[in-house]
Amino acid sequence: MHLDTLLHPLALRRAEPADLPGVLTLLAEAAEWLHGRGVRQWPRGGFGPERIEPLIEERVLYLLDDELAHLDPDVDAANWRRPIATIAIDGHADPEFWTPGDSPDAALYVHKLAVARPWAGHGLGDALLDWAGGTAYATGRPWLRLDCAKDNRGLQAYYRRRGFRHVRTVDLPHRASGALFERPADDTLVTAFRDLTVPALIGA
């Protein structure tokens, strides 16, 4: 099992259309886990393909793969291509949250960040956020931004620990999300995922 070894090489890549089923499964499992903790960040059961296909088509959805998954006897052939983490990063500021006064074009925005439960606690989310911050920096944008559930204090505390500043909370009755965070884009924490193993990511 993945938790028995930390020597799995990981690879970050853009999602392709054939990855859609695996992405939907990962996000559905993450949504169910959140609901089990009383967090309504995402729809229970995850997202429909109409929410994820545009991200794949726009080439803004990235997947983290375990390159040794096909050798794991506990992973069947139908599932070994399932990603172990996802992140979307683009320049689309949610107009219900980010106002013209925020200079929306000055940032890249993180969406659909999820890590498969067997890989939780290995620092993969940290590394993906650092990579996203480096990507924003490389495109000349000074900020990396995201939004999360208004009532998820644990996740908000996590983002603060990762250097994000709480900008404000937008309380819209039809949105579970609305806690807005940003941190300066920075290339000093960029992790090159090629040929890295989990131990290298833990300190990211």
Side-chain angles (χ1 to χ4, degrees), residues 126-141:
D126 299 355
L128 288 170
L129 288 172
D130 292 344
W131 169 81
T135 301
Y137 181 89
T139 63
R141 292 172 171 88

Side-chain angles (χ1 to χ4, degrees), residues 89-191:
I89 178 172
D90 59 35
H92 304 323
D94 190 321
E96 290 194 314
F97 293 154
W98 302 98
T99 70
D102 296 315
S103 300
D105 293 338
L108 287 184
Y109 298 83
V110 170
H111 317 278
K112 308 300 183 291
L113 175 60
V115 176
R117 288 297 89 206
W119 289 85
H122 291 314
L124 302 187
D126 299 355
L128 288 170
L129 288 172
D130 292 344
W131 169 81
T135 301
Y137 181 89
T139 63
R141 292 172 171 88
W143 298 105
L144 180 68
R145 290 173 175 164
L146 53 84
D147 61 83
C148 69
K150 294 172 284 191
D151 59 355
N152 191 342
R153 304 303 179 192
L155 183 57
Q156 293 175 32
Y158 165 75
Y159 287 131
R160 287 188 174 94
R161 291 194 301 272
R162 296 303 306 161
F164 284 85
R165 176 183 70 91
H166 179 236
V167 178
R168 63 181 174 274
T169 296
V170 179
D171 190 8
L172 300 175
H174 62 288
R175 301 289 298 271
S177 193
L180 310 186
F181 288 84
E182 68 180 11
R183 79 178 187 191
D186 190 347
D187 67 344
T188 62
L189 296 176
V190 177
T191 299

Side-chain angles (χ1 to χ4, degrees), residues 11-16 19 23 26-27 52 55-56 58-65 83-90 108-109 111-114 128 131-132 135 139 193:
L12 184 68
R13 63 179 177 84
R14 279 192 170 95
E16 302 293 343
D19 294 309
V23 172
L26 173 59
L27 294 176
I52 305 305
L55 300 177
I56 297 176
E58 292 174 28
R59 309 287 286 167
V60 298
L61 182 65
Y62 293 81
L63 309 181
L64 192 59
D65 291 329
I84 63 172
T86 66
I87 186 172
I89 178 172
D90 59 35
L108 287 184
Y109 298 83
H111 317 278
K112 308 300 183 291
L113 175 60
L128 288 170
W131 169 81
T135 301
T139 63
F193 281 88

Side-chain angles (χ1 to χ4, degrees), residues 29-41 44 117 120 149 151-156 158 161:
E29 291 174 350
E32 187 62 30
W33 180 79
L34 288 170
H35 273 260
R37 295 167 61 91
V39 177
R40 303 297 183 259
Q41 171 82 19
R44 187 163 197 175
R117 288 297 89 206
D151 59 355
N152 191 342
R153 304 303 179 192
L155 183 57
Q156 293 175 32
Y158 165 75
R161 291 194 301 272

